[in-house]
């Protein structure tokens, strides 16, 4: 039984990896379940046995991308040191947001939102909403331990994530050639985290 589960999990990961590549490189409309199966080296029937529809697979691919970045692995964080914790989280968030796949999925949803309006909803629920929810739990923990005074964790999570985007995200979104340096990004994130902590101290 363990071998069967292991084999099924391997195939699932192959399918997710293939789907992520195809969705980001070819877009949603041009990517079929048959094409994903060929890319993953499994049958189309196997793809459907793991994911009932292309929408379901698209949503799972977004979640897989977030999870592979360790965005949600908050277990190692030291809540007693909010500066270090939030700075680490800020770097993880920016890495996910500005990664090749992250930007491509964002652009796919924006480009195909009229023809496939469900894409934006799927992306919103699987990506931004889920990330915000996880960060809100962290904010709630800070408040419960009296480390920071955060009465509305959801609002605090939104404020934190949007504050961290900064100039780099604007440049990436508009495909600006000359981007801020990694040192400038580090400096911006550090000062933004310090500003956030002061606001909720």
């Amino acid at each position: 039984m363990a071998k069967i589960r292991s084999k099924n999990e391997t195939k699932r990961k192959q399918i997710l990896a293939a789907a992520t590549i195809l969705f980001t490189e070819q877009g949603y409309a041009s990517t079929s379940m048959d094409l994903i199966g060929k890319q993953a080296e499994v049958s189309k029937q196997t793809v459907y046995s793991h994911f009932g529809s292309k929408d379901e697979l698209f949503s799972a691919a977004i979640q897989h991308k977030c999870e592979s970045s360790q965005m949600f692995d908050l277990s190692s964080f030291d809540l007693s040191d909010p500066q270090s914790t939030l700075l680490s989280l800020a770097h993880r968030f920016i890495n996910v947001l500005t990664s090749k796949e992250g930007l491509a999925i964002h652009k796919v949803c924006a480009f195909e939102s009229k023809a496939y309006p469900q894409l934006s909803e799927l992306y919103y629920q699987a990506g931004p909403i889920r990330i915000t929810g996880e960060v809100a739990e962290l904010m709630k923990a800070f408040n419960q331990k009296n480390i920071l005074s955060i009465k509305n964790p959801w609002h605090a999570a939104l404020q934190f994530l949007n504050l961290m985007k900064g100039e780099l995200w604007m440049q990436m979104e508009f495909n600006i050639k000359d981007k801020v340096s990694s040192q400038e990004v580090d400096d911006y994130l550090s000062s933004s985290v310090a500003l956030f902590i002061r606001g909720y101290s």
Side-chain angles (χ1 to χ4, degrees), residues 16 19-20 23-24 27 35-36 40 58 61 73 86 100 114 117 124 147-148 150 153 158 163 166-167 169 183 192 195:
L16 280 173
T20 301
F23 282 136
T24 54
L35 194 60
I36 291 170
F58 182 79
D73 183 15
L86 292 176
K100 178 184 175 182
K114 286 189 177 181
Y124 186 62
I147 296 168
L148 296 174
I150 300 175
L158 288 171
L163 179 61
E167 185 179 5
W169 168 245
Q183 184 60 57
S192 296
L195 175 64

Side-chain angles (χ1 to χ4, degrees), residues 137-166:
E137 286 300 312
L138 180 64
M139 299 301 173
K140 183 179 178 181
F142 278 135
N143 185 68
Q144 289 175 336
K145 293 180 180 296
N146 294 315
I147 296 168
L148 296 174
S149 179
I150 300 175
K151 304 306 179 186
N152 191 319
W154 184 262
H155 285 176
L158 288 171
Q159 290 162 350
F160 177 81
L161 293 172
N162 282 289
L163 179 61
M164 296 308 136
K165 287 181 178 181

Side-chain angles (χ1 to χ4, degrees), residues 52-175:
S53 68
K54 189 162 76 166
D55 280 2
E56 183 182 330
L57 181 48
F58 182 79
S59 177
I62 297 170
Q63 291 184 22
H64 175 68
K65 173 59 186 173
C66 292
E67 289 168 356
S68 65
S69 69
Q70 297 184 315
M71 181 73 199
F72 301 121
D73 183 15
L74 307 180
S75 58
S76 61
F77 286 163
D78 179 7
L79 293 182
S80 66
D81 185 359
Q83 175 73 25
S84 176
T85 293
L86 292 176
L87 188 57
S88 177
L89 180 61
H91 279 286
R92 291 186 191 184
F93 176 60
I94 287 298
N95 288 338
V96 171
L97 196 67
T98 61
S99 67
K100 178 184 175 182
E101 295 88 351
L103 283 167
I105 290 174
H106 173 79
K107 290 178 179 179
V108 164
C109 291
F111 180 76
E112 300 191 291
S113 60
K114 286 189 177 181
Y116 300 93
Q118 77 275 19
L119 284 191
S120 296
E121 181 65 26
L122 288 171
Y123 171 74
Y124 186 62
Q125 294 296 332
I129 286 294
R130 188 171 180 214
I131 290 173
T132 304
E134 293 289 335
V135 176
E137 286 300 312
L138 180 64
M139 299 301 173
K140 183 179 178 181
F142 278 135
N143 185 68
Q144 289 175 336
K145 293 180 180 296
N146 294 315
I147 296 168
L148 296 174
S149 179
I150 300 175
K151 304 306 179 186
N152 191 319
W154 184 262
H155 285 176
L158 288 171
Q159 290 162 350
F160 177 81
L161 293 172
N162 282 289
L163 179 61
M164 296 308 136
K165 287 181 178 181
E167 185 179 5
L168 178 62
W169 168 245
M170 289 191 292
Q171 292 177 338
M172 299 289 280
E173 191 173 22
F174 291 105
N175 199 29

